[in-house]
DNA sequence: AACATATATGTATTTAGTATATAGTGTCAA
DNA sequence: TTGACACTATATACTAAATACATATATGTT
């Protein structure tokens, strides 16, 4: 029930259709937020059933093309969104990372594999940090809260890159020292 | 398919049953990892069907009590775990936070509500940081990778608390200045 | 003509997460 | 002594989220 309110929140800014919502989220929250069409269209349908949004089908452009369903938030929608916004979040932050899930178990793995995976992460997050910094300007127009959130994104990225590089150093030093003979388990 | 390998990973250390696995995860990863019995028992069953773990039913203790199903990793299981461990993660980090989801939209809300929610977060993360710092010692026995991961947890927590406090200051200052008259939407 | 790309929506399936049911044992207090 | 509560243990039902796949039209390119 989080996507539901994120969509409702975006509709506070302007009327949108599914495709544009995905584009918007990708562009603005793409770092920590990746969303799928399936999730969007299902949520839009349900929001409409509940009367929190209204839908009008419109042509894509003068030249035709697939028609789009433009959604606009209703008064009921705004009221429901306000209630949610002021309510205390019921859950803690959720962080799930397929890299970290592997990393924490690497005492059972080959340090060389660990180094390779770390390097992949460093490269990926360095590119991400560049993009985030480029975008900070654009986010300012949305107001204080959006700007602060984007700053959090940058700070997180910097912190994480720092940790990755430190971890890399430790793993490499430990590997060179040959501190622990790593034994491959049987492959079959 | 992440929980599956996390369970397999824990079984590398020692034989475990469902209840103990949850306890283990809660104790050691409880900050960023919360798992549910439903997920554990389903995954254990499936792992057994696939021959990656073996199960023996044993009594709980001498005094009786509900019997437990003790799971142990097989050779096939170890091989499959090794393959997974060395494979490049297919997805990016996933961060989902019901507080941040609200925060980013607070240009449509009452700053006083924002302050209240921020204060709740600060209190919660300050307690969490204390617990994490207490635990760092215990984690060291598990090796370099577990220790590094726990250090990441602490660094993340410190960074996030810093951001929360800065954000609080900005919101408060902005509110006092009355920079923007906030208008409540119709409640009904 | 064939192919890629962009716009647009939708369904099906799998995985993750939440809630709740069940059941035995031990403990402490009213 | 019984009854509430906590602890150990497993299991199922249900909801939400995430992924994969399917469809359709228009534009530009080779």
């Amino acid at each position: 029930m989080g996507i539901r309110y994120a969509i409702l929140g975006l509709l506070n800014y302007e009327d949108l259709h599914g495709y544009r919502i995905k584009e918007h989220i990708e562009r603005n929250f793409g770092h920590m937020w990746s969303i799928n069409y399936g999730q969007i269209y299902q949520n839009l349908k349900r929001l409409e059933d509940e009367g929190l949004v209204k839908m009008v089908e419109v042509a894509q452009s003068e030249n035709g093309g697939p028609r789009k369903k433009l959604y606009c938030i209703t008064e009921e929608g705004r009221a429901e969104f306000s209630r949610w916004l002021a309510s205390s979040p019921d859950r803690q932050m959720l962080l799930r990372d397929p890299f970290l899930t592997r990393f924490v178990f690497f005492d059972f793995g080959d340090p060389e594999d660990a180094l390779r995976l770390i390097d992949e992460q460093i490269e990926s997050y360095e590119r991400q940090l560049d993009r985030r910094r480029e975008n900070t300007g654009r986010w300012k127009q949305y107001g204080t809260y959006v700007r602060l959130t984007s700053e959090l994104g940058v700070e997180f990225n910097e912190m994480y890159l720092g940790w990755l590089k430190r971890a890399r150093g430790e793993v490499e030093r430990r590997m060179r020292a040959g501190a622990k003979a790593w034994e491959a388990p049987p492959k079959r």
Side-chain angles (χ1 to χ4, degrees), chain A:
Chain A
M1 303 273 290
I3 289 160
R4 174 191 168 79
Y5 291 103
I7 290 175
L8 223 43
L10 288 177
L11 293 178
N12 264 295
Y13 287 103
E14 57 178 326
D15 296 352
L16 291 165
H17 56 278
Y19 189 84
R20 193 75 61 216
I21 288 175
K22 163 138 180 170
E23 204 184 48
H24 200 288
I25 290 178
E26 220 88 303
R27 234 171 88 96
N28 292 310
F29 308 90
H31 25 308
M32 30 178 68
W33 222 181
S34 103
I35 199 164
N36 186 281
Y37 287 125
Q39 301 168 254
I40 292 171
Y41 289 114
Q42 280 166 216
N43 272 281
L44 281 174
K45 190 175 262 177
R46 199 174 139 190
L47 284 169
E48 200 195 353
D49 289 343
E50 296 176 33
L52 303 181
V53 302
K54 260 188 319 196
M55 186 268 280
V56 230
E57 221 163 326
V58 294
Q60 184 182 140
S61 69
E62 301 109 47
N63 308 338
R67 47 207 328 189
K68 49 192 178 184
K69 296 182 169 179
L70 204 62
Y71 290 87
C72 121
I73 191 165
T74 63
E75 282 312 308
E76 287 87 351
R78 276 181 217 280
E80 168 73 359
F81 180 74
S82 287
R83 262 194 302 278
W84 169 79
L85 196 62
S87 69
S88 294
D90 44 335
R91 298 182 219 303
Q92 282 275 106
M93 176 184 289
L94 189 111
L95 187 85
R96 220 98 315 170
D97 184 352
F99 164 75
L100 285 173
T101 313
R102 285 169 174 78
F103 186 84
V104 77
F105 286 116
F106 246 103
D107 278 307
F108 300 107
D110 185 341
E112 299 224 37
D113 289 326
L115 280 183
R116 179 173 48 80
L117 296 192
I118 292 172
D119 285 335
E120 286 171 11
Q121 293 292 307
I122 289 176
E123 214 205 293
S124 158
Y125 280 94
E126 238 148 26
R127 270 185 288 117
Q128 194 171 85
L129 182 55
D130 288 341
R131 262 180 295 138
R132 284 187 186 188
R133 280 180 176 149
E134 282 167 27
N135 286 333
T136 38
R138 186 156 49 76
W139 282 321
K140 275 179 192 161
Q141 71 183 88
Y142 286 102
T144 311
Y145 299 94
V146 174
R147 195 205 74 231
L148 280 164
T149 308
S150 93
E151 285 172 9
L152 174 64
V154 172
E155 281 173 48
F156 172 78
N157 217 315
E158 289 168 341
M159 181 277 295
Y160 192 54
L161 265 173
W163 177 84
L164 279 168
K165 287 173 182 173
R166 189 161 57 77
R168 195 198 188 284
E170 279 205 43
V171 172
E172 205 178 18
R173 224 176 312 121
R174 212 163 142 278
M175 199 180 63
R176 275 202 228 278
K180 209 174 194 173
W182 176 79
E183 239 176 84
K187 305 236 165 172
R188 46 126 133 205

